[in-house]
Amino acid sequence: MPSSNAKPEIPKPSAEVSNMAYMNCQTCTIDLRPLNLPVARNTQDSTFRQIYDDYITTNKSPKSSQHEHARQLSSAVLSLKVGIAPPVAFPTETVYGLGADATNPSSIAGIFAAKGRPSDNPLIVHVSSIEHLERCLGGTPEKSAIPLVYHDLMRAFWPGPLTILIPVPPEGQGVKFAPNVHPGQRTIGFRIPSSQYARFLLAVTDRPIAGPSANSSGKPSPTTAKHVLDDLDGKINFILDGGSCDVGVESTVVDGLGEVPLILRPGGLSKVDLKRWGQKNKNVWANVENGWEVSKGVKRKRSGEGEQNKNGDVRHTPQRNGMAKRKHSANLEYVLNSTTEESDMQEVEAAPRAPGMKYKHYAPKGWMILFDAAGHDHCTHDPETTSILRDTLKSQISMRGFPSDLPAEHRDSIASTSSASSLVEIQQSFTIAFLTSTSWPPFAGLETYIQSLFPTWKLEHLPGGSDQGFALCSGPAQGPGPLTKNGVVPERRLNVHTLDLGRDATTISNRLFATLRTCDDLECDFIFAEAPTRSSVHQSRKKEPVIINQIEEDGEFETVLERMKKAASAVLQLHW
């Protein structure tokens, strides 16, 4: 038997991981809420197993009203245990996961296939309890296999949205994890979810379950069973439904194995909470730092010419959609840093150490620009910010073939940012959404301005009321035009929506992914998103000052900003 100190061989990312997802599955949703599972954090695995056994036994008879529900639940559990079927979607407190046995390479390949996930992107493994994790790692009551640096951390924050990196157990110690769980890595991320539904499933299967988000790779993570169905219908057999996720963003991934503990992915547990806990308990976590800015020292390939800044990002003057670096005054400029698909991080020599460190994520279908004030309050009543928003809006409208319908005074100003040869595609309809949070009013304060661009068009209120959306309709007309057919210019329509993310980090985190999916449902072509920000003394919409502690100011919106920047097609930075 190899020495317990032997270093495990690092599996290389495989180019042969199956990309053949199961097709034509009869996907069914199984509601777990009628089981009335206990929510206490200290609920034992044995309790969950007893609930499951009793439920299946009681409803075994076809005469039982819950027979079909029990049969489907039993089939879902069995498919995870046996590992010969597609992965199973299940709820956690963060987002819905797509689960498979972490010791079964074929089952794990099914996750990558169903999601279309890059084969070098590692997976997080979920366990039901610390005792379960010790068994998986080969630990004993006398000698823990979990690094000491995590012991107090686990007791403080598990179950919960925290993932810890642990070395892969040596050959012959604990269970043998599938190589495609940790491609190119000597570590695996583990966590215990706090959701009673996730812990129920983990206890009943008694397996370590690898579970990335249950969505098509790159799309917004799912926070409801419906989101999972929208992405994976026909690709998996079972979706376990536990309602909406409480947290709404993925777990925080930390690495405590180095000299300084690092956050590799911000998530449901904030750096603020980690630091405060570390300070209170006088341990190394008081010094935790961000390790997720993977642009540092990593090769990036971006479109256009430019110079590298200290973080390795290329800052350049993009020309796409007619927007470029420009100054509005002596003390304000904005720079559009493209993060579009063609500018995504290219292959790098090292595989990512944790999920979310390498690839573009969370993106809606429409073109989304994130307005980032870089730590400053960017209320839209500021004339400079308003000017930027108006210029960007006019540019986008013109690029969709709408400028011929604008009044002359607006047509001239748009001509400088667009020409007939640069039009992307003339559209009969165009849909815009504004995502507001800490500073912007509904529609970013541009409702009246947008209507002024089309003074002859008919105003209609969209379902939900005028405070949530409106439309401007040209009506059919006679005469020449780019869409003329048989002498008639068809009706053209501009739909405008406003979606509020909330005012605090918890609410924004909970709503973010669902709101991005709402933008897809609304078929948004273009999305204006406000990056939440907080100044030391921030004026609320009610003009009431909100005093922000320095440690809160530094980390309050860190997680949602990271997610929004990954989702954005471009980040527009305002510099004062």
Side-chain angles (χ1 to χ4, degrees):
M1 179 179 295
S3 166
S4 59
N5 295 322
K7 292 182 178 180
E9 181 181 352
I10 302 177
K12 296 180 180 179
S14 172
E16 300 178 358
V17 171
S18 172
N19 60 359
M20 298 177 62
Y22 286 87
M23 302 301 293
N24 302 315
C25 295
Q26 299 299 311
T27 306
C28 69
T29 300
I30 305 169
D31 194 348
L32 298 181
R33 289 167 289 185
L35 296 177
N36 295 317
L37 298 172
V39 299
R41 287 166 53 95
N42 60 351
T43 302
Q44 299 296 307
D45 289 359
S46 58
T47 301
F48 286 123
R49 293 186 190 114
Q50 190 63 54
I51 292 172
Y52 172 77
D53 290 340
D54 291 346
Y55 183 75
I56 299 301
T57 301
T58 302
N59 296 289
K60 193 172 183 178
S61 171
K63 296 180 179 180
S64 169
S65 60
Q66 298 299 318
H67 170 73
E68 183 60 20
H69 182 269
R71 186 192 66 80
Q72 290 178 342
L73 178 58
S74 177
S75 297
V77 169
L78 186 62
S79 71
L80 278 174
K81 285 185 173 182
V82 176
I84 58 173
V88 173
F90 65 99
T92 77
E93 76 281 13
T94 56
V95 299
Y96 273 70
L98 189 61
D101 183 352
T103 68
N104 187 324
S106 296
S107 296
I108 297 303
I111 291 178
F112 287 92
K115 286 176 58 70
R117 183 182 178 94
S119 62
D120 65 345
N121 208 2
L123 304 177
I124 289 171
V125 177
H126 300 70
V127 292
S128 62
S129 63
I130 294 177
E131 185 273 333
H132 187 199
L133 178 56
E134 289 282 17
R135 280 193 285 123
C136 291
L137 298 176
T140 65
E142 294 76 27
K143 185 178 181 180
S144 174
I146 303 171
L148 184 62
V149 68
Y150 295 126
H151 285 203
D152 290 341
L153 189 71
M154 294 185 302
R155 286 190 284 268
F157 295 108
W158 275 1
L162 172 69
T163 295
I164 61 175
L165 288 194
I166 294 178
V168 178
E171 187 74 28
Q173 180 177 317
V175 302
K176 182 176 176 58
F177 289 97
N180 44 352
V181 166
H182 55 103
Q185 299 298 321
R186 298 185 191 273
T187 57
I188 299 175
F190 293 93
R191 89 175 186 99
I192 302 175
S194 63
S195 163
Q196 68 269 36
Y197 306 112
R199 286 188 290 137
F200 167 78
L201 182 66
L202 293 164
V204 169
T205 58
D206 197 28
R207 296 285 196 279
I209 299 296
S213 55
N215 59 314
S216 296
S217 189
K219 293 191 65 177
S221 297
T223 56
T224 68
K226 181 183 180 301
H227 295 162
V228 180
L229 188 64
D230 290 343
D231 280 12
L232 302 181
D233 188 16
K235 296 181 179 180
I236 60 176
N237 288 330
F238 302 108
I239 301 171
L240 305 184
D241 187 358
S244 298
C245 299
D246 294 332
V247 176
V249 293
E250 296 87 350
S251 64
T252 300
V253 180
V254 299
D255 178 4
L257 303 177
E259 187 174 332
V260 176
L262 297 175
I263 296 175
L264 299 185
R265 181 182 73 182
L269 179 64
S270 72
K271 183 172 72 174
V272 172
D273 291 333
L274 280 170
K275 277 185 171 289
R276 283 180 173 161
W277 175 79
Q279 291 165 358
K280 180 180 178 181
N281 292 276
K282 296 181 173 59
N283 60 39
V284 296
W285 296 98
N287 303 315
V288 65
E289 298 292 343
N290 287 337
W292 48 270
E293 298 98 339
V294 297
S295 55
K296 294 182 180 180
V298 175
K299 298 177 182 177
R300 276 184 177 270
K301 182 179 180 181
R302 291 180 177 271
S303 57
E305 296 295 330
E307 61 178 358
Q308 285 196 337
N309 63 19
K310 64 181 181 180
N311 292 327
D313 289 326
V314 176
R315 183 171 291 175
H316 63 289
T317 304
Q319 300 298 326
R320 185 165 182 172
N321 287 354
M323 290 179 288
K325 174 180 176 181
R326 71 186 68 174
K327 286 195 174 184
H328 282 257
S329 71
N331 65 344
L332 173 68
E333 75 173 15
Y334 71 91
V335 180
L336 183 68
N337 285 337
S338 175
T339 57
T340 53
E341 186 172 345
E342 67 265 28
S343 303
D344 283 347
M345 188 182 303
Q346 304 299 305
E347 286 298 322
V348 294
E349 292 179 3
R353 299 180 62 204
M357 293 189 70
K358 180 175 179 182
Y359 296 98
K360 184 177 177 65
H361 288 286
Y362 324 121
K365 295 176 182 176
W367 178 271
M368 173 174 153
I369 286 188
L370 178 66
F371 289 76
D372 183 7
H376 298 273
D377 187 8
H378 53 122
C379 294
T380 51
H381 60 251
D382 174 77
E384 301 288 3
T385 304
T386 300
S387 177
I388 293 170
L389 285 165
R390 288 184 174 185
D391 281 359
T392 308
L393 176 65
K394 285 193 295 184
S395 173
Q396 290 303 311
I397 290 175
S398 72
M399 296 303 293
R400 268 63 183 185
F402 276 71
S404 60
D405 296 299
L406 294 174
E409 63 269 25
H410 296 300
R411 223 176 292 151
D412 293 340
S413 64
I414 284 179
S416 63
T417 63
S418 175
S419 64
S421 62
S422 65
L423 293 181
V424 176
E425 181 180 351
I426 296 175
Q427 297 179 208
Q428 284 185 245
S429 66
F430 182 45
T431 299
I432 301 171
F434 293 90
L435 307 189
T436 64
S437 56
T438 53
S439 299
W440 289 7
F443 305 100
L446 297 180
E447 182 177 11
T448 301
Y449 173 73
I450 294 171
Q451 294 175 17
S452 75
L453 295 177
F454 303 89
T456 63
W457 288 23
K458 179 183 178 182
L459 174 65
E460 294 182 1
H461 294 305
L462 298 175
S466 59
D467 59 337
Q468 296 185 32
F470 64 90
L472 296 171
C473 306
S474 68
Q478 300 289 326
L483 292 174
T484 299
K485 189 174 184 179
N486 299 325
V488 176
V489 180
E491 177 179 272
R492 308 178 77 184
R493 183 181 181 92
L494 178 67
N495 303 303
V496 185
H497 302 270
T498 188
L499 303 168
D500 183 38
L501 291 173
R503 303 251 318 142
D504 61 90
T506 299
T507 304
I508 296 171
S509 296
N510 185 264
R511 293 179 181 176
L512 177 60
F513 290 147
T515 301
L516 293 178
R517 285 181 173 269
T518 297
C519 290
D520 286 349
D521 293 340
L522 295 171
E523 299 182 347
C524 292
D525 298 284
F526 190 77
I527 303 163
F528 287 83
E530 174 195 5
T533 187
R534 193 82 78 192
S535 56
S536 295
V537 179
H538 178 75
Q539 292 293 105
S540 73
R541 291 172 186 166
K542 295 182 179 180
K543 306 300 182 183
E544 298 170 352
V546 180
I547 309 300
I548 304 298
N549 181 294
Q550 182 63 44
I551 194 170
E552 293 175 339
E553 180 185 345
D554 289 343
E556 182 182 8
F557 298 112
E558 196 166 62
T559 297
V560 293
L561 277 173
E562 189 268 351
R563 297 303 194 274
M564 293 179 82
K565 287 178 179 179
K566 273 195 164 67
S569 303
V571 178
L572 196 153
Q573 296 176 331
L574 310 178
H575 296 278
W576 278 264

